[in-house]
Amino acid sequence: MNENIPEIYPRPIELLAPARDALTAMAAIDHGADAVYMGAPSFGARSQAGNSLDDIGRVARYAHQFNARLYVTVNTIIFDHELNEAHALVWDLWRAGVDAVIVQDLALTRMHRPPIALHASTQCDTRTPAKARFLHDCGFTRIVLARELTREEISEIHREVDADLEVFVHGALCVSFSGDCQASAALTGRSANRGECAQICRYKFDLEDEHGNKIISGKHLLSLRDMNRLGNLEELLEAGASSLKIEGRLKDMAYVKNVVAAYRRKLDAVIAACPDRYCRSSVGRSAVTFNADPAESFNRGFTDYFFTDATPKKNSLATFDSPKWVGLPVGRVKKVAGKCIVADLKTALSNGDGLGFFSPDGEFIGFRLNRVDGERLFPATAVNPRPGTTLYRNSDKSRGDLLAGNTAVRRIELFMKLYWVPGQLVLNLKSEDGMEVTVADAVEYQQARSSQTERRRKELEKLGDTVYRASDIEDAAGDSFIPASALASLRRRGVAMLDVARVCAYRSEKPGRPADKISLPKGYVVSRHDNIANHLAAEFYSELSGIAAEKLPQALETDIPKGIAADRRIMETRYCLRRELGACLKKAGEGKTLPSPLFLTSGNSRLRLEFDCRNCRMRVLLS
């Protein structure tokens, strides 16, 4: 936050969940998300996670009941012939009720847009206060920060920039700075900035010296663990984060349910401990029927990445053995007897569980259990693990069946008051966020012979499949007899009116207003890595840099061979393979354990590694 603008407390905090489709989005809301993000029909950076406008509108209506928000990704780079389509899409999204659009291509800032907020995608590669301030000046109301930032770096941006800061807290990590990875485009023609990443970082590589001598063979040397900042939420809020984002628009519903519920539980505890500083950004409480645990969902092992340490210890960031979910250890193999594995188990298993083990050459071999009989396991396919081999479970059939059902209900607390005024029975309804309606009916007053309070309470509590739950009912109707039909009529009308009032009162995020004067950050040099792919983006950078639009470097995707010839760098990362292997060049005695230069090879691809030790960066170049 700019120090000239006072902080406003309590600050609304948002738990932001991913959704591959409408059903997953609504499940995320049910399990406690304050907002969800999903892909548009096109131009989303996950080409397999697009959604129809009808489904997007359905999610918006569902989310807005709880004052929860819906953001939609339009965060690929856009070619000239697609500008009109992208422009029309943003208008369609606004009409569908979307609260903000997450974008990368700055061409969208130059279009005539509806009054919809723009969020700067992590593909914008925001690592510094200067870059964040530039994007905010362009009209972005929220900046999605690079995943690699430390607590101190997030705090510095928060102190100097008056914009909401969104940070990733959980899920898969790109080894490269987001938006600055051309590995997939250069090696396969499939561009990450066009939603078609081939996940080069999950490939097996050999590590070689300049003469081709193998130092390490067949390991996933660029494959990072998954982020898990469940233990850092309070520190993230103190650093200035307002939105905590879970990665995973390709993940299934069970994953989203489990991870959202886990973060909701922990975040609620943090907010409850500091009610004068933080509050929830949506309403409604979720009753979850299972024990949420991120370790039970897909992961490659966990790391908090660079949040607590700009130079993490070796073996703390990557997972060399497998880019898959290995799962949790459940026991060790005693022997293989025919089609049966006899194992010393420490966890009860079920028919249909998915297990796996590492072979002697390091391959992870998975199999499904047909049947379990005590310590005797009967795989669906023939496998032959050695005695002493650790078995892992990465698919829990019982838990999967549980999560496939209805596992949460989210309800808004409703306060009711029933009373008489001359000639009329009145019901006042007030929701937990202060929305209030009053309904009345002409009902004949009848004296009751016995107490009616309990009967009236039960009738008013019948809120069925509405989004409300009666948390408190004040019955001031005295010792009168009121027909159940009269109470039901008041209740139904009151709820219907409250629904309408909530819809009318809902307000989407206000769009940002560009600064009167926009300047590139001091010393900024426009390069290929700004991903200029259309004439609007070129005009934008031309006006700011003073360089003719036709002379500006273009995105690699516009001409891959020409782009690679001009700049062979395809990846820059804060992750350092030398440091991960305990061979940091900055530490006395460590650097000499590996030669220089170093190369990664995979198939016909040979990549040269450069180490910028002054800035703790590693660069990957086509050799």
Side-chain angles (χ1 to χ4, degrees):
M1 177 73 69
N2 188 308
E3 292 182 349
N4 295 321
I5 301 175
E7 186 86 69
I8 297 174
Y9 287 119
R11 176 155 52 93
I13 303 300
E14 174 185 277
L15 178 60
L16 176 57
R20 65 185 304 169
D21 54 36
L23 291 178
T24 304
M26 290 187 284
I29 295 294
D30 288 343
H31 287 73
D34 299 304
V36 292
Y37 66 103
M38 59 196 304
S42 54
F43 302 113
R46 295 287 187 273
S47 61
Q48 300 174 51
N51 293 276
S52 70
L53 288 169
D54 285 344
D55 278 352
I56 288 170
R58 184 156 60 108
V59 172
R61 290 188 294 274
Y62 191 81
H64 293 169
Q65 297 177 102
F66 302 100
N67 291 347
R69 302 209 183 269
L70 170 62
Y71 312 133
V72 171
T73 58
V74 185
N75 58 342
T76 64
I77 57 174
I78 303 168
F79 296 140
D80 265 318
H81 69 275
E82 299 169 326
L83 287 172
N84 287 340
E85 181 186 351
H87 177 243
L89 175 61
V90 172
W91 278 91
D92 286 339
L93 294 172
W94 174 69
R95 294 186 188 101
V98 171
D99 294 286
V101 180
I102 305 169
V103 304
Q104 170 188 187
D105 200 314
L106 295 186
L108 286 162
T109 67
R110 298 179 70 85
M111 294 178 178
H112 172 61
R113 303 185 312 277
I116 191 169
L118 296 184
H119 292 179
S121 171
T122 188
Q123 270 70 32
C124 291
D125 188 21
T126 306
R127 316 177 205 171
T128 66
K131 182 67 175 288
R133 190 180 306 111
F134 164 70
L135 292 170
H136 186 48
D137 287 347
C138 290
F140 290 97
T141 56
R142 176 179 294 186
I143 314 298
V144 187
L145 298 180
R147 293 167 170 88
E148 292 81 1
L149 300 188
T150 65
R151 173 178 45 208
E152 290 73 20
E153 288 166 332
I154 295 171
S155 294
E156 183 182 6
I157 293 173
H158 176 62
R159 285 193 299 270
E160 299 190 25
V161 181
D162 182 31
D164 279 350
L165 301 183
E166 181 176 303
V167 300
F168 282 90
V169 293
H170 199 91
L173 287 164
C174 296
V175 67
S176 176
F177 285 103
S178 298
D180 196 26
C181 183
Q182 284 94 30
S184 182
L187 296 177
T188 71
R190 294 168 52 188
S191 167
N193 282 315
R194 295 284 294 169
E196 299 174 338
C197 182
Q199 295 194 317
I200 302 300
C201 54
R202 305 299 180 186
Y203 283 14
K204 273 187 177 181
F205 288 97
D206 294 335
L207 182 64
E208 298 179 350
D209 64 16
E210 60 184 322
H211 305 296
N213 298 312
K214 285 185 173 54
I215 302 166
I216 297 175
S217 297
K219 293 292 184 180
H220 303 272
L221 297 174
L222 296 179
S223 182
L224 299 186
R225 303 183 190 199
D226 285 3
M227 182 184 284
N228 183 335
R229 289 179 172 167
L230 196 59
N232 306 118
L233 299 189
E234 188 171 1
E235 294 169 290
L236 279 162
L237 300 189
E238 289 175 353
S242 292
S243 178
L244 308 180
K245 185 174 193 173
I246 298 166
E247 184 276 339
R249 281 194 293 125
L250 295 179
K251 294 293 196 298
D252 61 25
M253 187 186 295
Y255 177 96
V256 173
K257 286 181 176 183
N258 184 38
V259 176
V260 168
Y263 275 82
R264 179 77 272 157
R265 181 179 61 206
K266 184 60 180 288
L267 185 56
D268 280 348
V270 173
I271 292 173
C274 305
D276 56 330
R277 299 192 65 190
Y278 312 119
C279 63
R280 282 190 60 173
S281 62
S282 67
V283 297
R285 294 294 182 268
S286 300
V288 177
T289 62
F290 64 94
N291 181 35
D293 181 0
E296 295 279 358
S297 289
F298 182 98
N299 68 83
R300 301 175 178 91
F302 290 129
T303 174
D304 71 0
Y305 211 23
F306 293 94
F307 182 68
T308 55
D309 191 350
T311 55
K313 297 177 181 179
K314 69 176 183 178
N315 301 324
S316 64
L317 299 184
T319 171
F320 293 160
D321 292 330
S322 176
K324 304 174 184 178
W325 183 29
V326 172
L328 300 174
V330 293
R332 290 185 177 276
V333 175
K334 290 182 177 179
K335 64 180 180 179
V336 176
K339 297 181 179 181
C340 170
I341 299 173
V342 182
D344 180 15
L345 298 174
K346 63 178 184 179
T347 301
L349 302 179
S350 302
N351 299 345
D353 281 354
L355 303 186
F357 61 92
F358 284 100
S359 67
D361 60 0
E363 285 292 323
F364 186 73
I365 299 172
F367 62 93
R368 186 177 61 83
L369 281 179
N370 265 350
R371 184 163 60 90
V372 181
D373 182 8
E375 63 179 15
R376 301 169 68 220
L377 311 178
F378 296 87
T381 53
V383 290
N384 190 27
R386 292 181 175 181
T389 298
T390 299
L391 293 175
Y392 300 87
R393 179 171 65 184
N394 55 17
S395 178
D396 184 334
K397 180 67 164 53
S398 297
R399 188 175 177 84
D401 289 345
L402 171 65
L403 289 173
N406 296 323
T407 50
V409 175
R410 182 166 177 166
R411 293 290 182 262
I412 298 169
E413 292 187 354
L414 195 59
F415 307 92
M416 297 181 175
K417 182 176 181 180
L418 183 70
Y419 57 97
W420 289 96
V421 297
Q424 288 189 315
L425 181 65
V426 182
L427 180 63
N428 174 267
L429 298 90
K430 186 176 181 180
S431 62
E432 64 181 75
D433 57 339
M435 292 299 301
E436 187 172 2
V437 299
T438 301
V439 291
D441 268 342
V443 177
E444 182 181 354
Y445 185 92
Q446 302 178 54
Q447 184 71 35
R449 296 180 178 179
S450 59
S451 174
Q452 299 291 302
T453 304
E454 182 64 16
R455 183 183 68 84
R456 291 194 296 247
R457 182 186 63 79
K458 289 181 178 179
E459 187 62 42
L460 292 175
E461 282 182 337
K462 293 180 180 178
L463 294 167
D465 59 357
T466 71
V467 297
Y468 306 106
R469 180 181 72 85
S471 61
D472 185 54
I473 298 175
E474 181 182 346
D475 188 341
D479 56 357
S480 59
F481 172 78
I482 303 170
S485 58
L487 292 170
S489 175
L490 281 174
R491 184 195 66 237
R492 285 193 293 267
R493 286 175 50 218
V495 166
M497 286 181 63
L498 191 59
D499 283 341
V500 171
R502 297 186 68 78
V503 171
C504 294
Y506 183 83
R507 295 292 182 269
S508 288
E509 180 182 340
K510 291 182 179 180
R513 180 178 178 180
D516 294 333
K517 183 178 180 181
I518 302 172
S519 301
L520 288 170
K522 185 177 180 180
Y524 194 90
V525 178
V526 181
S527 72
R528 183 185 88 191
H529 302 280
D530 288 295
N531 295 324
I532 301 171
N534 58 70
H535 76 276
L536 289 182
E539 290 171 4
F540 175 88
Y541 280 105
S542 176
E543 291 176 8
L544 298 182
S545 67
I547 302 172
E550 63 272 13
K551 293 184 178 180
L552 286 169
Q554 299 291 300
L556 177 69
E557 289 79 3
T558 62
D559 190 338
I560 293 177
K562 181 180 177 181
I564 291 300
D567 180 357
R568 302 188 70 79
R569 174 165 65 94
I570 61 172
M571 188 184 296
E572 181 177 355
T573 174
R574 202 167 194 170
Y575 163 77
C576 176
L577 183 57
R578 277 187 169 275
R579 186 175 58 224
E580 188 71 8
L581 292 170
C584 176
L585 292 169
K586 295 174 70 174
K587 294 184 178 180
E590 277 195 11
K592 295 181 180 180
T593 60
L594 284 178
S596 293
L598 291 172
F599 296 82
L600 295 176
T601 61
S602 180
N604 295 323
S605 300
R606 183 173 172 84
L607 309 175
R608 181 164 59 90
L609 301 181
E610 283 186 354
F611 299 93
D612 176 2
C613 294
R614 180 178 180 181
N615 296 304
C616 277
R617 300 288 188 270
M618 181 177 77
R619 299 187 182 96
V620 182
L621 302 89
L622 292 176
S623 63

